[in-house]
Amino acid sequence: MTSETDPLIVQIQPDHDQSSPTESKSKWKPSKSIILLTFVSVAITLALFFAFRPRESSFERYSVVIDAGSSGTRAHVFRYWLESGKPVFDFGKDNYAKESENPGLSSYADNPKGANVSVAELVKFAKGRVPEGMWEKSDIRLMATAGLRLLNETVMEQILEVTREVLRSSGFNFRDDWAWVITGSDEGKYSWVVANYALGSLGGEPLQTTGIVELGGASAQVTFVSSQPMPEDLSQTITYGNVAYSLYSHSFLHLGQNAAHDKLWEALHNSAAHSTEDEIVTDPCTPEGYIFVSKRQNSTEESRLTASLQAAGNFTECRTATLAMLHEGKENCASEHCSIGSTFTPDLQGRFLATASFYYTSKFFELHEKDWLSEMIPAGKRFCGENWSELKVQYPTEQDKHLLNYCFSSAYIISMLHDSLGFALDDGRIEFASKAGAKDIPLDWALGAFILETSIATLDYSGKSRKMLG
Ligand SMILES: Nc1nc2c(ncn2[C@@H]2O[C@H](COP(=O)(O)OP(=O)(O)OP(=O)(O)O)[C@@H](O)[C@H]2O)c(=O)[nH]1
Ligand SMILES: [Ca+2]
C-alpha cells in the first residue's frame, strides 16, 4: 500500500506539504492542534483502558471453597487479585458466585457413594465460573461441618473419600487433605472473620469488633472477642493486619436447629416408649393437627411410637422443653459460668449478629430489626397455637420442612439467646442478619475461611489453622 492511497499514512507523516488532498502526492501538513488532539486522545484512551481494564492481569486468581453443611452443600467461587503482594477481594456478582445442592452429604450415611453426585454438580458449576486455563492453578477445598461431625468416624471418612475422588479428577488444584471436617471452633472463627471484614472492623480495635451467634442445622456457634481468661479449647487467637484478636469460639454440637428438634422428638419418643399403650405423649413444638409419620416405614416400633406422639403446639411449653435441653449437663459445669450445658461461656462482650436460622425465623415472622427478640415471643405464641392445616393455608408457598420448624425455632431462639446466653429481650446489641456492611457481603463462614486463609497464605502471617495453606 503506498502513501498516495492510504489517507491514514498521509495524516500522520508531517513532512507532506499543505497542498489539496486530491493531488497525487499530498501537500497537507498536520497543524499543531491536530498533533495535540491526537496525543490527548491517545493518552485518554490509555488512561481509560488501565482504569477499566477487566483486570485480566497476570495476578488474577481463583479459589473454590465447598461448604458441606448438614442440610446442604454449597460451592463458593472467588476471583481475586494480588496487588503489591496483598490480596484484593471483591464479593460482587462479577467476582463471587455460590451454588447449592441438597440434601447435605450426611444424608448419604447409608450410601456414601451417593455423595459424589452433589459434589460433581458443584465442580461443574465452579468450572463454569473459572476460565479453563486457570483451573489447575485454582485451589478447591471441601470443608465439612456438623452434619459430618455427627457421623461415626468410618462413615464420615467413607463420604470424605468419595468427595476426594471427585475433586482429584476435577481439573482444579486439589490435595487429599483439602477435603476434611473443620472444627466447630474454626467454623465460628471464619463466621466472625467475614462479619468483621464486611463491617470494616477486621484489622481494627478488638473491642470494636462484632460477635457472631449462628444457628445452623446440626450445630450452633458463639464467637466473639473476650477479654476474660479462657480455656485453650474454647479460644482462638488470630492475627489480621498487625492486630491480634483473642476470640471465644465454640460450636455446640447437636444444638443446631434440626439436630435439637430431633433430640426433642427423641426425648418425647423415649417418654412415649415408657408410656402405657394408650398413653399419648404431646409435642408442644409442633402445631396441632400435624400427623407424625415414622421415617422408617417397615419399623413397627417406630410407627407405634410415632402414633403415640401427638402434636400440641404450645410456645411456652416448647420454650420450657428446649431450655431443659440446653441446660442438660449443667451440673457438670467446671467453671463459674456455663450458659449452655457444661460449656464455659464468658460474659457477652460488644455487639452481635445472629445468623442462619436466627435470620430465617425472624424474616419469616417479619420481625423488626430493632425489637426482634421481644417480638419473637408473641409471634411464636401465635404460630404455635395455630392448627397445622390453617398454617398450610396461610403460608401456601412455604416449604413444609421449614414451616414445620417455626414453632420450635421461635421458642428455641428465646430459650437459647435470652434464657441461656442472657441477651435481654430489648437488647439492642444483637441483630439478625444474612449479609453485612456497605457492600452487603453474605455472612457465610466459607467467605471468612477464604479471606483469612488467603491473607495468611499471601502475607505469610502466623495463623493457627494452617490446613488451607496446603
Ligand atoms: N426457613 C428457612 N430455613 C432454612 C433456609 N435455609 C436453610 N434453612 C434451615 O435453617 C437451618 C440452618 O441452615 P444452615 O445454616 O444452612 O445449616 P447447615 O449449614 O446446613 O448446618 P450446619 O452443618 O449445622 O452448619 C437448617 O435447619 C436449614 O434447614 C431458608 O431459606 N428458610
Ligand atoms: Ca452451616
Side-chain angles (χ1 to χ4, degrees), residues 108-124:
Y108 299 100
D110 298 337
N111 160 35
K113 282 242 171 291
N116 71 340
V117 175
S118 38
V119 180
E121 278 305 307
L122 293 174
V123 165
K124 209 160 83 184

Side-chain angles (χ1 to χ4, degrees), residues 290 388 392 395-405:
Y290 178 78
W388 176 250
K392 292 278 289 169
Y395 305 100
T397 56
E398 193 69 21
Q399 293 178 53
D400 276 10
K401 67 176 182 176
H402 295 329
L403 198 61
L404 185 59
N405 266 323

Side-chain angles (χ1 to χ4, degrees), residues 239-390:
T239 307
Y240 193 90
N242 51 10
V243 184
Y245 297 92
S246 168
L247 296 178
Y248 170 85
S249 185
H250 184 63
S251 176
F252 296 89
L253 195 52
H254 299 285
L255 296 184
Q257 173 182 283
N258 296 344
H261 205 166
D262 290 345
K263 214 166 133 82
L264 183 75
W265 274 327
E266 209 176 296
L268 292 168
H269 263 128
N270 292 342
S271 49
H274 299 110
S275 67
T276 53
E277 271 303 300
D278 57 354
E279 194 183 319
I280 289 290
V281 175
T282 56
D283 169 8
C285 298
T286 304
E288 193 171 325
Y290 178 78
I291 309 297
F292 291 99
V293 285
S294 69
K295 289 182 187 137
R296 288 175 307 200
Q297 300 309 333
N298 55 0
S299 145
T300 43
E301 175 57 7
E302 166 95 2
S303 33
R304 186 187 75 77
L305 291 181
T306 310
S308 64
L309 205 49
Q310 195 171 65
N314 178 305
F315 176 88
T316 307
E317 287 177 20
C318 181
R319 178 179 173 182
T320 308
T322 51
L323 184 59
M325 202 163 45
L326 288 168
H327 285 188
E328 263 170 35
K330 210 169 169 69
E331 65 283 1
N332 305 322
C333 177
S335 71
E336 75 285 2
H337 193 239
C338 300
S339 307
I340 296 176
S342 59
T343 306
F344 165 73
T345 39
D347 299 335
L348 298 175
Q349 162 97 38
R351 300 187 61 76
F352 283 81
L353 289 178
T355 62
S357 195
F358 290 125
Y359 170 79
Y360 303 132
T361 307
S362 306
K363 280 312 266 185
F364 173 76
F365 286 122
E366 297 175 340
L367 305 183
H368 297 100
E369 314 255 316
K370 194 168 158 310
D371 305 321
W372 71 287
L373 215 42
S374 53
E375 289 177 1
M376 183 70 79
I377 295 177
K381 282 184 175 170
R382 182 191 63 74
F383 187 90
C384 289
E386 292 269 11
N387 188 288
W388 176 250
S389 50
E390 257 307 295

Side-chain angles (χ1 to χ4, degrees), residues 67 69-70 74 145 187 214 216-217 221 445:
D67 160 10
S70 65
R74 307 94 188 188
T145 56
E187 184 180 359
E214 178 177 357
Q221 285 68 250
W445 64 261

